Amino acid sequence: MCLRVEDHVVLGKDEPGKTVEITVDGRKLAAKEGEKILAALLANGIIVNRYTVKRKEPRGLFCGIGQCTDCAMIVNGKPNVRTCITPVKEGMVIETQHGLGKRGAIHD
Amino acid sequence: MAWESGVQFMIKKEVVVIGGGPSGMAAAIEAAKRGAEVLVIDANEKAGGQLFKQIHKFFGSSEHGAGVRGIDIGRDLLKEAEELGVEVWLNSVAIGLFAEKQIAVETGTDDAEKIVRVVEGEKIVIACGASENVVRFQGWTLPGIMGAGAAQTMINANRVLPGKKILMVGSGNVGLIVSYQLMQAGADVVALVEAAPNIGGYVVHASKIARAGVPIYTRHTVLEARGEGRVKEAVICEVDGKWQPVPGTEKVIEVDAIAIAAGLKPLAELAIMNGCKTKFDPILGGWAPLHDENMESSCSGIYVVGDVTGVEEANTALEEGRLAGVAIAAALGKITAEEAETEKKKIWDRLDGLRSGPHGEARMKAKDRQLADFRQLSAAEI
Ligand SMILES: Cc1cc2nc3c(=O)[nH]c(=O)nc-3n(C[C@H](O)[C@H](O)[C@H](O)COP(=O)(O)OP(=O)(O)OC[C@H]3O[C@@H](n4cnc5c(N)ncnc54)[C@H](O)[C@@H]3O)c2cc1C
Ligand code: FES
């Protein structure tokens, strides 16, 4: 299932751009340099970004513009990174965030 | 410039515009054109606000760029601002607005170290736009359920589909336009529900999606979203005259995303934080700061423009921005009061034109009430 909008009636063809490799929960994925982390994950069929602190419920894209924090993940070891507004860089290590994302403290 | 525990201050500018959407850019351009030194702060990595998601052709008269797509209007604005030497800080969020017209600005992306700077503006323009309202129902927090604006950002700015079988909730222009754009991007809009008895947005937009075969259910709402880890089904049902679900009318629809288009509300927090007087008006989307004919709020030297002062449209946002830009140039002594008056009169005439017709009249009345409330406020203070 292709989720990328490669060709568009109004916007035309998407610019090819440079492909980079990122690691998501230990899995290597291809992403486009500079695209939002969340977009790269969506394109790869990943829609859960984090689990809530108390009820451990899954959360994913909600506002898409950095206002709600539902898309927060751990990026290169740094928790609470809003993936909908943070661009992908070569070699990024991205992890699903559990609770507040302080390793060991909230994780069980 | 002094540094204290990662905070850099104090930078001074004649004009600081918070928000680089159409209203903010227009204010910046008009002030810069007349010789003011302008800084625009925008939270995004690119200025232009909502315009860069609007790939459809706009309505309005030809002098308001009817038939021109939002993205093209945005591109022109950015180019003009650049040519005029307007300084723009991107990835920069105004996180506070304090006494003495000081703005705390945080710059940087979440994955890196951020810096905080304090900027003082002789004149400040608040042009933050609006944020989306939500509708809560059983299961509404499941992944796959999002604001319609989020869905639009994904397809038009990020070029990725947030789902393939989408239920749209709400039939205002945002719900209708985003439905159509989701189809243009290759998704299926499986249904659109609207609790009111009639479509909220323009008939042309509704006809387009109806012709494309999207079932539009008026007097319907979404009761429940079901799924594990992602929404898989939506339960919709009829509502009665009091907007209550009618038992026995439930329908289960297979979906992988639900987009909520329940209107927008002004992002007035910075104005409120600064003590600008506000008023609640449902036509304008909720609490919005009051202002005078120059778009100046109840706090002297602080101007409010665009969706922040009442959710309208890009064209009115542009004109309000221009008004503030011209008024600021006059207040800074860059042009004479007469020059400003002539220019402002032209802008007001265009604004009145935009706020007419079946969809504009209610907004015209609401904006008039806002001005009247402001006058009352100043009279009371004198
Ligand atoms: C789906 C949809 C379709 C539309 N179609 C049309 C149409 O056909 N015709 C039309 O005229 N209008 C249309 N509009 C409306 C139009 O886009 C908006 O009314 C207009 O963009 C408002 O302009 P603005 O400058 O007030 O705000 P915005 O365009 O929202 O810009 C605000 C900017 O401020 C920034 N910002 C916010 N807070 C901060 C902060 N604290 N610090 C720094 N930056 C901040 C934001 O990042 C953003 O860039 C549509 C809107 C939508 C959602
Ligand atoms: S989806 Fe809301 S902050 Fe990213």
Side-chain angles (χ1 to χ4, degrees), chain B residues 230-253:
Chain B
R230 169 169 211 156
V231 56
K232 300 234 161 56
E233 285 174 353
V235 184
I236 66 166
C237 75
E238 242 176 87
V239 292
D240 62 20
K242 294 195 181 98
W243 304 60
Q244 293 308 307
V246 179
T249 61
E250 298 84 359
K251 266 195 224 32
V252 179
I253 306 179

Side-chain angles (χ1 to χ4, degrees), chain A residues 1-15 32 34-45 47-51 57-65 67 70 75-76 78-87 89 92, chain B residues 43-45 50 53 55-56 69 71 91 93 106 108-114 130-132 134 140-151 153-164 181 184-186 228-231 256 260 267:
Chain A
M1 181 165 76
C2 179
L3 290 168
R4 287 202 191 272
V5 186
E6 310 274 358
D7 204 354
H8 191 288
V9 280
V10 179
L11 296 169
K13 284 221 190 312
D14 199 9
E15 288 157 29
K32 287 195 298 182
E35 75 175 328
K36 304 298 183 289
I37 296 171
L38 183 105
L41 299 188
L42 274 182
N44 282 287
I47 72 154
V48 176
N49 303 119
R50 68 177 181 100
Y51 290 87
E57 288 174 355
R59 290 287 186 273
L61 163 69
F62 189 73
C63 73
I65 49 169
Q67 290 179 348
D70 267 3
V75 176
N76 293 338
K78 194 170 185 285
N80 304 317
V81 172
R82 290 165 297 170
T83 54
C84 69
I85 54 166
T86 307
K89 288 187 198 116
M92 259 183 174
Chain B
N44 286 313
E45 62 174 1
Q50 297 290 327
K53 298 176 210 167
I55 61 167
H56 57 287
R69 300 181 197 277
I71 36 174
N91 290 315
V93 186
E106 189 189 55
T109 51
D110 279 3
D111 63 328
E113 285 303 313
K114 295 185 184 182
S131 69
E132 292 195 277
V134 302
W140 75 285
T141 56
L142 273 173
I145 301 173
M146 66 201 74
T153 305
M154 289 309 127
I155 48 173
N156 295 348
N158 293 330
R159 301 194 61 147
V160 53
L161 285 168
K164 287 228 151 178
Q181 293 179 351
Q184 284 183 318
E228 287 288 328
R230 169 169 211 156
V231 56
D256 61 5
I260 303 169
L267 268 174

